[in-house]
Amino acid sequence: MSSQSKSHPGRVLAMLPAMLAVLFTFATLAAAQDQPAPKWELYGGYSFFHAGADVHGQLPGALFPISSRIEANPRGVGISGTYNFNRWFGLTLDASTHWGSGEGTLFHRIDDAAFSNLSIGPKVTFRRNRFAPFVEALVGDHRLMPDAFHDIDKIGLMLGGGLDINLYEHVALRLFRADFVLSNYKYGPPAVSSTDIRGLRAQVGLNFMFGGEKHPVLPSAACSVQPTEVFAGETVTATASGSNFNPKRTVKYNWNGTGVKVTGSDASTQIDTTGLQPGSYGVTANLNDGGKNGFASCSARFTVKEPRPPVITCSADPASVRTGGTSTINSNASSPDGRRLTYSYTATAGEISGNGYTATLNTRGAQPGRITVTCNVSDDRNPPLTASSTTTVNVEAPPPPPPQIKQLEARLALHSIYFQTARPTADNPQGGLVDSQAEILKTLAEDFKNYLKYKPDAHLILGGHADPRGSEEYNKGLTQRRVERTENFLVEHGVPADHIETRSFGKDDNLTEEQVKEQIAQNPELTPGDRQQMLNNLRVLVLANNRRVDVTLSTTGQQSVRGYPFNAKDYLALINTKGGEKKPPAKPPVKKKPNQ
């Protein structure tokens, strides 16, 4: 019995420091955050009592005292009320009762005891948002009521604490409450040992809280940056927003950065990323309204990306051309960073034009061989990132002209076409072409169509002229009608329209009397008498020689022969100076071989 009575109080005393250590651990955590205290607390719940002692006593009429270990009593309830003077200090009035087992015989009742208390004492609470650990010291009336002996009231002491977990604003779960119980009792004469309670009271229940300050809502802040990923040189906008600040106070903003300079005192600020190396950078905003708890801060980060240059490929279509031909250069470029791109092209020979996705290489004037085309692309950075690609175009030498082309060029004798005075008219633009001149154009059309088989890029250039008698405006319109009449005739006889160019000179570049005299003198088909007769009518012939359309061959530069058809059957109509009406010359012309 004695050994057992010593071991139980020892275990109780060993448990109490461990519980107090847990309380102080939570108290340390709780001290990190302030929490307003309720004015009143009311606790109620289950209570467990372990006396941790042997009861010693002598029954009435008994010769010898008896002793027995008091069993733990799980039958109990407890209540307490606390008035809090401030956030951490309060005064607690505590009561609990644990009733007997109700067993009938003395043998069964000797180790059972009821216990109750009514105590008062200080309570110290360490409050935080979710936890409220506390310690307490209570003194008051302790009543021990052994089932085998009478009830005794003594002054007793309780030392301990507990842990509340806040469930709602006014309700907390008392996860545990443990108190070391200290009191002494005497059952029998002085010779009988005293019953010394050195035990443990443990409780669990609900704690209700009323009155006091409301839970403060502390200010908070949130930061953001837009965009979150940039290239060096692009601007980042940082924004901070606060909540729960005192609406009567002005919130001040203070910005600072990690690895980047940030200035400004507004809710939003601009960050210049010029010169920043690729990497991650942070900004922090401190918000303060000047009040005791009116402070909050927030942070946000953004990334400066590694710039990537554009990429480009290009190709030529076709890859081989004859000298003077063209090839289309196609570029396919993209920017991995989604930048706007600009194209440019260079070539080692020929002429290249274009500044978009495509360009045209013209090999006119280039020697046979390979031309390298460089396709360049640059993005819109400053300075830009660039890329290049190359393609080649093979310029083939033209095949030697067949023998027929030489004969055809020799036969393609060009003659100027002559018109009557003031013809064609505006009312009849398809008139004014006399038969002799139409025959010359028919021959020219057939020869030129054959010539195009060997020289597909050849053109006929028609240049119209008029005698000087009309106004400049009139003569311009007249010569335009003459070249259009000539062009239309050639097209009607199979010459492609896109191989004809027209020019209107009016009375510009007219032949002078000296030039006409020279032309008459060099004509081998005229006799001395014919020449003298024409010189006598020189003024009429000068006018007639200037009512013409000259023909030029683009490939050779060959120009038409200005040989006036003196012996043509419609010669009289051509030299007439009055609107095309026939007027005999002073002497009929000598009939000669027609000039083709």
Side-chain angles (χ1 to χ4, degrees):
M1 291 289 290
S2 61
S3 173
Q4 188 180 20
S5 65
K6 292 179 180 179
S7 62
H8 285 290
R11 287 198 297 268
V12 172
L13 292 174
M15 293 171 59
L16 188 60
M19 289 185 290
L20 291 176
V22 172
L23 289 175
F24 281 111
T25 300
F26 278 102
T28 302
L29 296 174
Q33 183 172 346
D34 192 8
Q35 177 193 6
K39 203 67 176 176
W40 294 93
E41 296 180 63
L42 181 60
Y43 162 77
Y46 169 74
S47 185
F48 170 87
F49 177 69
H50 189 285
D54 295 332
V55 61
H56 304 283
Q58 188 169 344
L59 295 172
L63 297 177
F64 302 101
I66 59 175
S67 297
S68 178
R69 186 67 178 178
I70 301 177
E71 290 184 342
N73 190 339
R75 301 171 297 277
V77 295
I79 61 173
S80 64
T82 302
Y83 176 80
N84 293 305
F85 296 96
N86 52 40
R87 184 182 63 83
W88 58 273
F89 182 74
L91 184 64
T92 296
L93 179 63
D94 176 83
S96 63
T97 183
H98 306 80
W99 53 88
S101 64
E103 294 177 336
T105 65
L106 177 62
F107 177 78
H108 290 95
R109 297 170 60 198
I110 188 66
D111 56 359
D112 295 328
F115 177 80
S116 63
N117 84 289
L118 179 62
S119 305
I120 190 170
K123 174 186 175 185
V124 178
T125 306
F126 306 91
R127 303 181 189 278
R128 62 170 304 172
N129 189 36
R130 295 289 297 173
F131 304 104
F134 63 90
V135 293
E136 59 187 359
L138 305 174
V139 63
D141 179 71
H142 291 193
R143 171 175 286 192
L144 184 64
M145 297 167 282
D147 287 3
F149 300 101
H150 58 279
D151 300 345
I152 298 178
D153 291 286
K154 291 288 186 177
I155 297 297
L157 179 66
M158 289 187 181
L159 299 174
L163 175 65
D164 292 343
I165 298 178
N166 298 324
L167 303 178
Y168 305 101
E169 183 178 358
H170 299 290
V171 181
L173 170 65
R174 182 151 293 177
L175 187 62
F176 72 89
R177 180 187 188 186
D179 295 298
F180 176 66
V181 182
L182 178 65
S183 58
N184 300 311
Y185 305 90
K186 192 72 171 179
Y187 295 97
V192 178
S193 299
S194 63
T195 300
D196 300 327
I197 301 299
R198 303 291 185 269
L200 172 69
R201 185 186 68 169
Q203 295 181 342
V204 62
L206 295 176
N207 189 43
F208 299 90
M209 297 166 285
F210 308 96
E213 301 177 6
K214 292 184 178 180
H215 290 265
V217 180
L218 297 178
S220 61
C223 288
S224 63
V225 291
Q226 288 294 333
T228 57
E229 292 185 342
V230 296
F231 293 101
E234 296 178 339
T235 300
V236 175
T237 301
T239 304
S241 60
S243 57
N244 302 323
F245 284 91
N246 190 333
K248 297 180 180 180
R249 295 178 177 270
T250 300
V251 178
K252 295 182 179 180
Y253 298 82
N254 181 29
W255 291 91
N256 56 75
T258 303
V260 63
K261 292 183 179 180
V262 185
T263 59
S265 57
D266 297 325
S268 182
T269 186
Q270 302 291 317
I271 303 172
D272 184 6
T273 63
T274 302
L276 293 183
Q277 296 298 314
S280 179
Y281 297 87
V283 293
T284 300
N286 297 308
L287 286 67
N288 195 338
D289 65 5
K292 178 181 179 182
N293 296 315
F295 175 82
S297 64
C298 59
S299 298
R301 301 193 69 82
F302 66 91
T303 300
V304 175
K305 298 184 292 185
E306 182 79 39
R308 295 172 293 179
V311 293
I312 185 173
T313 59
C314 61
S315 60
D317 182 26
S320 295
V321 296
R322 293 281 177 87
T323 300
T326 61
S327 177
T328 300
I329 309 301
N330 298 298
S331 294
N332 183 12
S334 63
S335 170
D337 298 333
R339 312 294 298 201
R340 185 170 56 85
L341 300 178
T342 301
Y343 298 82
S344 63
Y345 300 87
T346 59
T348 56
E351 298 177 357
I352 191 163
S353 59
N355 55 10
Y357 300 108
T358 62
T360 300
L361 174 67
N362 191 326
T363 63
R364 184 187 302 115
Q367 296 297 318
R370 180 171 294 180
I371 297 177
T372 299
V373 177
T374 302
C375 309
N376 307 296
V377 66
S378 59
D379 60 24
D380 58 355
R381 293 184 175 92
N382 186 20
L385 297 181
T386 62
S388 298
S389 179
T390 60
T391 187
T392 58
V393 177
N394 187 41
V395 179
E396 301 174 353
Q404 297 91 331
I405 192 65
K406 295 298 183 182
Q407 298 173 5
L408 188 58
E409 285 181 346
R411 203 180 84 187
L412 192 60
L414 306 179
H415 291 273
S416 296
I417 307 301
Y418 294 90
F419 284 84
Q420 298 168 274
T421 297
R423 301 296 174 87
T425 64
D427 295 334
N428 185 20
Q430 295 302 314
L433 189 64
V434 298
D435 294 341
S436 63
Q437 306 307 299
E439 291 299 322
I440 293 174
L441 286 178
K442 288 180 183 179
T443 302
L444 176 61
E446 291 301 318
D447 290 344
F448 186 69
K449 287 189 292 183
N450 290 329
Y451 186 69
L452 288 177
K453 297 176 183 178
Y454 305 99
K455 296 285 188 177
D457 57 343
H459 285 69
L460 291 175
I461 304 172
L462 308 180
H465 297 268
D467 65 42
R469 291 177 294 167
S471 66
E472 182 176 352
E473 182 180 357
Y474 174 81
N475 281 345
K476 283 287 187 180
L478 177 60
T479 56
Q480 183 64 32
R481 290 195 295 273
R482 285 172 178 168
V483 294
E484 289 177 355
R485 179 67 185 102
T486 305
E487 178 186 19
N488 291 339
F489 189 92
L490 291 172
V491 172
E492 290 169 4
H493 288 79
V495 176
D498 58 351
H499 285 262
I500 301 175
E501 300 177 20
T502 62
R503 299 171 185 174
S504 178
F505 297 101
K507 59 185 179 182
D508 296 338
D509 196 25
N510 272 355
L511 295 175
T512 65
E513 289 186 358
E514 293 300 322
Q515 290 173 312
V516 174
K517 286 181 181 180
E518 183 179 355
Q519 180 179 306
I520 293 173
Q522 293 176 354
N523 191 329
E525 297 181 355
L526 298 178
T527 66
D530 293 335
R531 292 189 178 93
Q532 184 59 48
Q533 180 182 357
M534 292 178 182
L535 291 175
N536 294 337
N537 294 278
L538 184 62
R539 179 178 177 276
V540 173
L541 290 177
V542 170
L543 295 176
N545 270 274
N546 285 318
R547 295 192 293 269
R548 73 185 188 278
V549 172
D550 291 333
V551 184
T552 303
L553 184 62
S554 65
T555 53
T556 63
Q558 178 184 354
Q559 294 183 344
S560 60
V561 176
R562 294 172 180 172
Y564 197 79
F566 299 105
N567 299 321
K569 62 183 179 180
D570 41 25
Y571 161 75
L572 296 178
L574 293 176
I575 67 172
N576 191 344
T577 61
K578 294 184 179 181
E581 297 179 359
K582 294 183 178 181
K583 181 181 179 180
K587 180 180 180 181
V590 180
K591 296 297 182 179
K592 299 290 183 180
K593 183 180 179 181
N595 184 6
Q596 295 296 323

